[in-house]
Amino acid sequence: MNCLWCEEERSRHIGWKNFLNLMNPYELCDSCVSNLIFLYETPSRCTKCSRESEEKICFDCIRWEKQMQDDPLLFNYSIFPYNLFMQEIIAKWKYRGDYVLGELFRPYIRAAFSKKFGKKKKELIAVPIPLSEKRMDERGFNQAEMLAHFLPLETKTAFIRIDSEKQSKRNRRERITAKNPFSLIEKINTPVLLVDDIYTTGTTLRHAAGRLKEHGCPSVYALTLIRG
Amino acid sequence: MIQEKLKRDLAELASTLDGKLLRLEELPIDRKLTRFLLSRNLLKTKPALTKSFLRTRCMRCGNETPRKFAEIPCQKCNKAHFYCRNCMDMGRLMECDVLYYWNGPSAVWSKQKNPCSWEGTLTRAQEKAALRIKEAITNREKEILTWAVCGAGKTEMLFPGISKALEEGMRICLATPRADVVRELKPRLEKAFRHIPIQALYGGSKDKHKQAQLIIATTHQLLRYEKAFDVMIIDEVDAFPFHADPALPFAQKRSAKRNCTTIYLTATPREDLKAEIRRGKLTHVFVPVRYHGHPLPVPKLKMWHSLNKELPKLQSSNPLLYWLLNRQNPKRQLLVFVPTVERAGQLKTPLTNLMLKHKLIHHPNQLGSVHASDPDRERKVVSFREKTLKVILTTTILERGVTFPSVDVAILDAGHDVFDEAALVQIAGRAGRNSNDPTGEVLFFHDGKTEAMLAAIYAIKQMNKRGGF
Ligand SMILES: [Zn+2]
Ligand SMILES: [Zn+2]
Ligand SMILES: [Zn+2]
Ligand SMILES: [Zn+2]
């Protein structure tokens, strides 16, 4: 089998333990695995947004708390920092549409879930952040939906999204004050785990969380692959 | 009247679309016209992927390797499709996608009068090859290999042949593996063929929708053409990625018209091409001398016993430092090749410090490092050309295609696998390129001789011998 990312043959040390691993077509080679950097665990990350931080709650999150009387998002847990390697993978997966690359993240998403949300497994419902219709047509798949399906949870499509323009072209201020692009199509009365690929400013997730809570959702968490 | 206009429009469309093989999003016409042309059978489609009992094939890149296909759930068809992972950077193709091609009257290209505006003169060696290339085009020969040493001036050798082709109303494509080279060639060809529209194609180029009789493109761009060219010039035929990626020979073959003449250029033909020459299966013309008439610099081997141990730190006195302090012409700039990106990163600071300490450079900014995915590569190469950078620490990315007037060249760890014979010959060929400084030192630092080093030196000496030195 070859590495899903760099295509190098990855049959270097075959033992029984590695045999099953080698048969998995969605694995990285050792050298690519060593390029995967993980976010610091506590105490070096913000307990609220997973950003690298010496403080328990980072500056960003304090700003959020001041801004919103009642932050609809309880906390976000992310797995990777947005380093160069991750940027390359995301570019190829999400923007160029190499769907299968998302499979790389399956074990990491599952592990992070059981570590952080395992105890709530029975009550949580996964809600992936949707794409606008236009983006969906361009890309052919929603990366957040793919990630959500890796979880041992029921997945629901709770919203549709109507984007005015491209997110990444706006600055922080403009993003935060932007209109909430989500309209609810299904009310959810149990706790929700929002799933997305990247937490950048946290605006998107808070917009989604806000909508859910307005309609009676008791609590909203988020699991994201990357803390940008 | 209407008939006339229709004819003109059709000719215009033909010159835009004939010879292309495109995705819907790439068509340079609007949807309404697309529908109309399809309804009149002037535009046709074929499936992007074909599936037979045992294998799937990508019709754009020819990929048939099972692991280079993957599945994706299709929103439109509501089922899983295969898509090709091999040519994704030109836009993803999946089973329900189609490729568009022109089915109307063939494009007619002008028979240009006196297309060449180049005023230079060719050396005798260049002229001999140039005439042979021109003859091959005139006689519609299938293929010819031009084997010209690094620094022979191969671009100029092409001018008479390209002129001839333009006079005959042929369409020409010059394909080269690297975008850097496309960018470098475009102004040179525009100067040499001042009145001819020239299109430069590479990932991210802005020329995509122009139509031109003469095209300069990265080999990769050929994936968008089918039966398009009367003359194809394939530069650096031995180079990565043309040599490594089967999609590229596939695209080259497909983009040629039936009577196409293909001209291969190389300074370092691989064994398979050499074997074909020996068997008399491949016509070739050999240019053993550089345009300035001086021989190729012959590399020197320098043993460095504990090279791999000492390289990361470069502390004590070492063979590299000894050479640096005793160069024949310390004014020359310096190209230092290393086998890997990691090595370049590791060596940058120690080498800078060492050179500062011995006053070989005066500021840390005078030493730069580049590698293949370095976003600043273009700018650093320009700084080196402008001499703000004195030293470049590089991977094999600068082994070919780039020319600097006055450099010495060192390879650290020349015994590494990435330095095969062709790479070593190409690297050595960076030295002594300018008639003002036609020599230059080339040093291979190693901790054990390899076949490749010896073969490279032998090949260089042989070429010098054939050049009459
Ligand atoms: Zn790998
Ligand atoms: Zn925070
Ligand atoms: Zn393909
Ligand atoms: Zn489909």
Side-chain angles (χ1 to χ4, degrees):
Chain A
M1 283 292 169
N2 298 65
C3 171
L4 192 57
W5 176 251
C6 74
E7 298 195 358
E8 283 297 312
E9 192 82 39
R10 52 186 181 85
S11 47
R12 262 179 293 164
H13 3 258
I14 300 188
W16 275 112
K17 198 174 131 251
N18 282 319
F19 186 71
L20 283 176
N21 237 352
L22 279 171
M23 296 315 289
N24 176 359
Y26 305 128
E27 283 274 328
L28 291 176
C29 69
D30 294 353
S31 137
C32 288
V33 165
S34 72
N35 281 336
L36 283 179
I37 309 293
F38 294 86
L39 281 167
Y40 292 111
E41 284 306 331
T42 28
S44 288
R45 70 157 77 191
C46 169
T47 50
K48 184 116 202 239
C49 73
S50 281
R51 181 189 183 155
E52 187 188 340
S53 162
E54 295 302 319
E55 310 297 326
K56 237 183 124 198
I57 305 278
C58 75
F59 169 74
D60 241 26
C61 290
I62 292 173
R63 210 155 45 154
W64 272 117
E65 280 176 1
K66 277 186 191 156
Q67 214 165 344
M68 316 187 91
Q69 274 68 39
D70 183 21
D71 191 342
L73 186 66
L74 283 169
F75 68 85
N76 162 66
Y77 187 82
S78 308
I79 304 165
F80 302 103
Y82 207 18
N83 64 5
L84 205 64
F85 186 52
M86 207 41 82
Q87 282 172 35
E88 281 175 24
I89 295 181
I90 297 295
K92 195 157 183 237
W93 175 45
K94 181 164 133 180
Y95 300 116
R96 269 150 66 185
D98 196 357
Y99 181 81
V100 71
L101 274 180
E103 286 290 341
L104 294 180
F105 301 122
R106 182 191 290 266
Y108 302 105
I109 287 280
R110 291 186 71 110
F113 173 81
S114 62
K115 189 169 106 192
K116 220 52 208 176
F117 303 97
K119 285 190 199 129
K120 303 188 184 76
K121 190 172 162 180
K122 291 227 172 71
E123 48 175 33
L124 277 175
I125 286 190
V127 173
I129 297 294
L131 292 178
S132 66
E133 207 185 331
K134 185 162 166 268
R135 256 321 126 261
M136 189 68 185
D137 277 353
E138 279 166 19
R139 294 196 192 143
F141 72 98
N142 177 359
Q143 72 283 356
E145 214 173 291
M146 188 175 183
L147 295 175
H149 284 305
F150 295 159
L151 297 173
L153 295 180
E154 185 192 347
T155 302
K156 276 191 177 161
T157 310
F159 323 98
I160 50 168
R161 176 180 194 155
I162 301 149
D163 263 339
S164 38
E165 59 186 296
K166 218 179 166 188
Q167 271 267 329
S168 50
K169 280 190 185 145
R170 302 185 217 157
N171 62 30
R172 185 176 191 273
R173 179 93 251 137
E174 286 167 336
R175 281 201 208 187
I176 289 167
T177 53
K179 198 173 134 254
N180 191 332
F182 300 108
S183 348
L184 205 70
I185 49 175
E186 186 181 351
K187 283 185 195 169
I188 301 178
N189 297 317
T190 48
V192 160
L193 180 62
L194 290 171
V195 182
D196 206 359
D197 54 341
I198 307 182
Y199 180 113
T200 311
T201 61
T203 315
T204 308
L205 288 166
R206 282 180 174 85
H207 276 149
R211 275 284 182 272
L212 286 167
K213 293 203 75 169
E214 281 164 29
H215 293 88
C217 177
S219 46
V220 184
Y221 309 86
L223 176 61
T224 51
L225 201 57
I226 293 161
R227 178 64 172 90
Chain B
M1 274 302 276
I2 292 168
Q3 278 294 325
E4 276 304 302
K5 181 163 180 335
L6 204 68
K7 243 182 172 171
R8 262 207 320 274
D9 287 350
L10 268 183
E12 173 88 21
L13 278 169
S15 67
T16 316
L17 294 168
D18 192 13
K20 298 236 172 89
L21 188 62
L22 300 172
R23 289 184 302 128
L24 180 65
E25 295 78 7
E26 291 170 334
L27 282 175
I29 51 177
D30 64 28
R31 294 293 146 89
K32 206 176 135 204
L33 184 55
T34 305
R35 275 195 302 272
F36 173 77
L37 294 175
L38 283 169
S39 72
R40 294 298 159 95
N41 239 347
L42 290 166
L43 198 61
K44 284 181 110 170
T45 64
K46 58 173 158 191
L49 264 59
T50 56
K51 241 167 130 179
S52 64
F53 173 56
L54 278 176
R55 62 169 149 231
T56 306
R57 182 166 212 231
C58 172
M59 295 310 281
R60 179 168 59 190
C61 74
N63 171 27
E64 289 181 334
T65 311
R67 71 177 165 80
K68 289 186 176 176
F69 292 97
E71 276 188 313
I72 182 168
C74 176
Q75 299 299 314
K76 276 173 274 170
C77 314
N78 238 326
K79 63 182 226 191
H81 287 325
F82 278 118
Y83 67 97
C84 175
R85 295 190 72 210
N86 195 48
C87 57
M88 291 210 63
D89 36 347
M90 318 204 91
R92 182 185 54 214
L93 291 178
M94 52 183 184
E95 281 173 60
C96 63
D97 286 319
V98 292
L99 293 168
Y100 292 77
Y101 62 95
W102 177 249
N103 193 43
S106 307
V108 179
W109 301 97
S110 316
K111 295 195 173 186
Q112 310 280 356
K113 281 190 188 113
N114 302 322
C116 189
S117 45
W118 186 62
E119 280 162 2
T121 45
L122 296 170
T123 64
R124 282 229 331 259
Q126 281 177 317
E127 194 173 8
K128 195 180 135 219
L131 289 177
R132 184 64 193 83
I133 292 169
K134 184 173 160 183
E135 187 184 83
I137 292 171
T138 312
N139 299 339
R140 299 257 171 162
E141 289 173 45
K142 195 166 165 279
E143 54 187 11
I144 180 169
L145 175 78
T146 307
W147 179 357
V149 295
C150 300
K154 62 184 174 188
T155 308
E156 290 77 14
M157 283 181 237
L158 296 171
F159 291 168
I162 293 177
S163 293
K164 177 69 188 170
L166 289 168
E167 283 163 18
E168 298 287 327
M170 294 177 173
R171 194 176 200 196
I172 306 142
C173 178
L174 198 171
T176 178
R178 298 211 171 122
D180 300 340
V181 181
V182 176
R183 283 191 288 261
E184 196 189 297
L185 280 177
K186 193 187 178 202
R188 286 172 70 190
L189 286 178
E190 278 174 339
K191 235 173 125 188
F193 299 94
R194 209 169 286 149
H195 306 292
I196 309 298
I198 297 176
Q199 188 177 20
L201 296 174
Y202 49 91
S205 72
K206 294 189 180 72
D207 271 5
K208 292 247 158 75
H209 292 327
K210 265 169 56 178
Q211 59 223 28
Q213 192 166 355
L214 177 54
I215 287 175
I216 320 165
T218 53
T219 16
H220 212 82
Q221 296 292 327
L222 296 178
L223 289 173
R224 291 206 176 94
Y225 288 89
E226 181 173 51
K227 298 194 194 96
F229 304 110
D230 303 285
V231 175
M232 293 190 75
I233 303 163
I234 309 292
D235 188 23
E236 310 265 21
V237 61
D238 60 294
F240 173 88
F242 205 86
H243 173 73
D245 186 352
L248 298 176
F250 169 84
Q252 177 217 322
K253 243 197 214 134
R254 187 183 57 199
S255 54
K257 281 190 193 160
R258 207 182 319 123
N259 285 327
C260 177
T261 301
T262 306
I263 297 149
Y264 297 103
L265 304 176
T266 176
T268 45
R270 305 256 166 194
E271 214 29 67
D272 51 346
L273 283 184
K274 283 194 212 161
E276 279 194 53
I277 291 174
R278 280 195 297 269
R279 280 196 218 104
K281 281 192 177 160
L282 180 61
T283 337
H284 82 292
V285 48
F286 189 69
V287 189
V289 250
R290 293 185 146 186
Y291 82 96
H292 56 45
H294 294 265
L296 298 159
V298 180
K300 288 200 190 85
L301 298 178
K302 275 278 176 295
M303 185 68 179
W304 184 344
H305 282 285
S306 41
L307 172 138
N308 269 303
K309 221 174 82 202
E310 284 177 36
L311 262 189
K313 296 201 187 86
L314 268 187
Q315 280 163 340
S316 49
S317 66
N318 58 56
L320 174 66
L321 179 64
Y322 181 78
W323 173 66
L324 286 174
L325 293 169
N326 293 286
R327 286 158 69 201
Q328 291 156 9
N329 180 356
K331 281 198 192 120
R332 284 188 197 127
Q333 287 173 287
L334 201 58
L335 283 173
V336 182
F337 286 86
V338 288
T340 59
V341 191
E342 291 78 46
R343 188 62 104 194
Q346 202 179 53
L347 261 176
K348 195 181 169 210
T349 315
L351 185 60
T352 309
N353 292 340
L354 190 75
M355 295 193 78
L356 281 170
K357 187 173 154 201
H358 292 276
K359 302 208 162 46
L360 295 161
I361 51 175
H362 303 291
H363 195 280
N365 290 348
Q366 288 180 314
L367 187 146
S369 78
V370 300
H371 56 87
S373 50
D374 182 349
D376 268 354
R377 190 168 87 226
E378 235 181 296
R379 190 183 55 79
K380 287 177 189 164
V381 168
V382 172
S383 322
F384 192 70
R385 210 159 264 152
E386 289 166 349
K387 307 212 168 147
T388 16
L389 276 179
K390 283 252 181 308
V391 186
I392 281 193
L393 187 60
T394 177
T395 59
T396 53
I397 186 73
L398 292 187
E399 80 176 32
R400 54 175 89 214
V402 284
T403 309
F404 305 109
S406 179
V407 292
D408 282 337
V409 182
I411 305 181
L412 303 181
D413 198 3
H416 193 284
D417 289 346
V418 302
F419 299 117
D420 58 11
E421 180 191 337
L424 292 169
V425 171
Q426 289 284 355
I427 289 171
R430 299 308 98 201
R433 293 296 282 262
N434 197 280
S435 51
N436 293 322
D437 185 16
T439 56
E441 292 180 73
V442 180
L443 275 95
F444 294 172
F445 292 93
H446 65 92
D447 57 4
K449 277 182 216 169
T450 58
E451 286 285 326
M453 287 181 229
L454 299 176
I457 292 176
Y458 178 75
I460 291 170
K461 285 185 173 162
Q462 278 306 105
M463 283 187 263
N464 281 341
K465 211 187 235 170
R466 284 181 75 169
F469 299 104

